[in-house]
Amino acid sequence: MPRFWGRKRAEAPAKPVISLNHYDVIVAPHITEKATLLSEHNAVVFKVSGGASKPQIKAAVEALFNVNVTNVNTVTQKGKTKRWKGTPYRRSDFKKAIVTLAEGQSIDVTTGI
């Protein structure tokens, strides 16, 4: 049995713990032409809940996809006013997050969580 006086063993980095709250923060991937162009710059776009903060979004993406997040930008997209048979209605507002990943990491949003 090896003795480790005064030394600690090298431990593997711990994975973030997946909480059910992480699934409430990330709603869905937002797949558009602009989002596809952003993927060339290590960025992924998600629809997120309206009350989610940037640290919550970062923690959720790191825990669910096991990647390192370097930056999170959020945008609240206002719903459009449309008409159906002459009657106006309004689409819902939604919040989206542009998550920039560390160099060399990627997320395949087509596979799901």
Side-chain angles (χ1 to χ4, degrees):
M1 180 171 181
R3 297 182 183 180
F4 295 99
W5 290 306
R7 294 187 295 173
K8 289 188 176 181
R9 289 186 180 187
E11 296 177 2
K15 283 186 180 179
V17 178
I18 296 176
S19 169
L20 290 179
N21 293 336
H22 295 318
Y23 291 104
D24 293 334
V25 171
I26 307 272
V27 176
H30 190 65
I31 302 173
T32 60
E33 194 170 344
K34 279 188 180 182
T36 306
L37 291 174
L38 284 174
S39 67
E40 295 174 1
H41 302 287
N42 273 358
V44 184
V45 182
F46 293 103
K47 285 185 182 179
V48 295
S49 65
S53 65
K54 290 182 182 184
Q56 288 174 333
I57 295 167
K58 180 179 179 177
V61 171
E62 286 180 344
L64 294 175
F65 296 103
N66 199 17
V67 293
N68 292 330
V69 174
T70 59
N71 194 13
V72 176
N73 294 323
T74 57
V75 179
T76 302
Q77 186 154 351
K78 303 297 181 186
K80 292 182 176 182
T81 301
K82 296 290 208 172
R83 290 184 170 274
W84 186 71
K85 292 188 178 180
T87 306
Y89 70 96
R90 193 161 187 273
R91 289 185 182 169
S92 300
D93 299 345
F94 67 93
K95 189 172 189 177
K96 60 184 175 180
I98 302 161
V99 178
T100 306
L101 304 176
E103 194 64 35
Q105 296 192 341
S106 65
I107 296 175
D108 187 13
V109 292
T110 59
T111 59
I113 296 176

